[in-house]
Amino acid sequence: MSKFGVLVMGPAGAGKTTFCSALIQHLRNSKRSCFYVNLDPAAEDFVYEPDLDIKDLISLEDVMEEIGLGPNGGLIYCFEFLLDNLDFLTEAIDPLTEEYLIIIDMPGQIELYTHIPVVPTLVRHMTRSGALNVNLCATYLLESTFIIDRAKYFAGTLSAMSAMIMLEIPHVNVFSKMDLVKGSVPRKELKRFIDPDSSLLEDDPAEAHAVTTSADNLGADPSGAESVMAGGSFKRLNRAVAQLIDDFSMVSFLQLDVQDEDSVGAILSYIDDAIQFHEAQEPREPIDELENSYDDREMS
């Protein structure tokens, strides 16, 4: 029997747990069943108590106190411990029916998704190639304020693409916290960031400022942080990252405002489509033109 789930990922502070709470509320309003799994061993505050919490198996606080690891090393240790005790997951998830959407709230340590094999190993256990036979997709959240700093935007996009390649499952990439850029970014400008394009760096306001700063600080220490950030090597690195993303052409973003239930429902429609949740029903497409759904509201 197939199961269905979504892995909610992204950098620290991207709004993962807030999105999970909004998604659970939307599912409840729609009379749909869900099973909430917290896999962040440092998380403490929840709007909805998890049905399964990794802290019942191991917590980051205990690892840091008893083993003497820092927060990053402790998180990796917690996940390695989880992989050694996968029955903790299997016993809770295996009885679930196909009516449930399994929502898995992940920690914000990027290394877990991008270049350490612990999460890919966990995903293999949960998906059809493993023991649990879950139709699983990943929802990768990136804070919308990243678009204000284009170098930061491309770095965040690169992390999303790296996770897509590492995990090898369907991905739904999302700009979270859209309410934070409401009124500060014109609609036409915002649309340029939905599909990453290296040309965004060509008219980057920050580069014009960097040129001015560089001219004003000709006698400054060339090894100083400000000089490095305004230097040609940093620009070439940004362009190389942007071109790499452009060449792969894998990443595009949807827009999310968790305070708007229609916005949450639209993201859910893409998740359902990715995991084929409605396969037994009449085929239906995800909500059309989601990239414009937020734009249609006032942003001025």
Side-chain angles (χ1 to χ4, degrees):
M1 179 175 59
S2 293
K3 299 173 179 61
F4 301 93
V6 55
L7 206 66
V8 181
M9 312 184 309
K16 297 181 293 296
T17 300
T18 302
F19 171 62
C20 288
S21 300
L23 190 57
I24 292 168
Q25 183 61 57
H26 182 82
L27 289 166
R28 289 185 174 186
N29 293 344
S30 304
K31 309 300 182 185
R32 280 180 59 177
S33 301
C34 63
F35 188 85
Y36 182 28
V37 180
N38 172 52
L39 289 186
D40 184 352
E44 295 181 353
D45 299 321
F46 302 96
V47 175
Y48 298 100
E49 282 300 312
D51 298 295
L52 182 66
D53 193 341
I54 191 176
K55 295 199 302 297
D56 294 334
L57 176 70
I58 188 170
S59 74
L60 179 61
E61 183 179 1
D62 290 343
V63 169
M64 292 173 66
E65 287 181 1
E66 296 177 15
I67 303 179
L69 294 174
N72 290 338
L75 271 171
I76 295 171
Y77 181 91
C78 289
F79 266 79
E80 290 175 341
F81 188 82
L82 175 63
L83 293 180
D84 289 335
N85 296 272
L86 284 172
D87 286 348
F88 175 76
L89 277 178
T90 303
E91 290 172 4
I93 293 176
D94 194 49
L96 298 177
T97 67
E98 60 187 13
E99 296 176 356
Y100 284 82
L101 179 64
I102 304 164
I103 302 170
I104 306 170
D105 192 356
M106 299 292 289
Q109 190 180 14
I110 295 300
E111 299 97 300
L112 294 173
Y113 318 125
T114 56
H115 58 273
I116 295 176
V118 289
V119 173
T121 302
L122 177 64
V123 165
R124 285 193 294 272
H125 173 74
M126 294 189 65
T127 53
R128 289 185 171 184
S129 59
L132 288 174
N133 194 31
V134 178
N135 284 15
L136 192 66
C137 83
T139 297
Y140 195 98
L141 271 59
L142 194 67
E143 191 174 326
S144 60
T145 54
F146 275 37
I147 67 176
I148 296 171
D149 183 340
R150 298 188 186 184
K152 190 175 181 181
Y153 161 75
F154 278 110
T157 302
L158 182 64
S159 69
M161 188 177 79
S162 179
M164 294 174 75
I165 294 170
M166 284 286 286
L167 300 186
E168 299 180 328
I169 57 176
H171 264 63
V172 178
N173 297 302
V174 177
F175 278 143
S176 63
K177 304 183 182 180
M178 287 301 301
D179 54 302
L180 296 182
V181 298
K182 180 179 180 180
S184 61
V185 180
R187 290 185 297 175
K188 185 176 180 180
E189 182 72 8
L190 181 62
K191 289 180 180 179
R192 300 181 63 197
F193 293 90
I194 299 303
D195 297 297
D197 186 342
S198 58
S199 66
L200 284 167
L201 289 175
E202 295 175 4
D203 57 350
D204 185 1
E207 286 212 4
H209 174 71
V211 170
T212 303
T213 303
S214 180
D216 292 341
N217 295 280
L218 290 176
D221 179 7
S223 63
E226 190 171 351
S227 297
V228 170
M229 296 294 281
S233 59
F234 184 69
K235 295 176 187 177
R236 288 193 296 273
L237 175 61
N238 288 337
R239 290 195 179 98
V241 169
Q243 190 59 55
L244 178 68
I245 294 167
D246 210 358
D247 290 344
F248 272 83
S249 193
M250 292 175 61
V251 184
S252 62
F253 291 97
L254 307 176
Q255 300 171 49
L256 169 67
D257 180 356
V258 294
Q259 299 173 359
D260 183 346
E261 188 167 349
D262 289 339
S263 178
V264 176
I267 299 295
L268 177 59
S269 76
Y270 275 83
I271 293 171
D272 284 343
D273 189 65
I275 61 179
Q276 299 178 315
F277 186 85
H278 298 289
E279 189 178 40
Q281 304 177 22
E282 285 295 319
R284 69 179 188 181
E285 294 296 323
I287 295 175
D288 293 330
E289 304 297 334
L290 178 59
E291 62 271 15
N292 295 322
S293 65
Y294 190 82
D295 297 337
D296 291 336
R297 299 170 178 84
E298 289 187 358
M299 295 193 65
S300 56

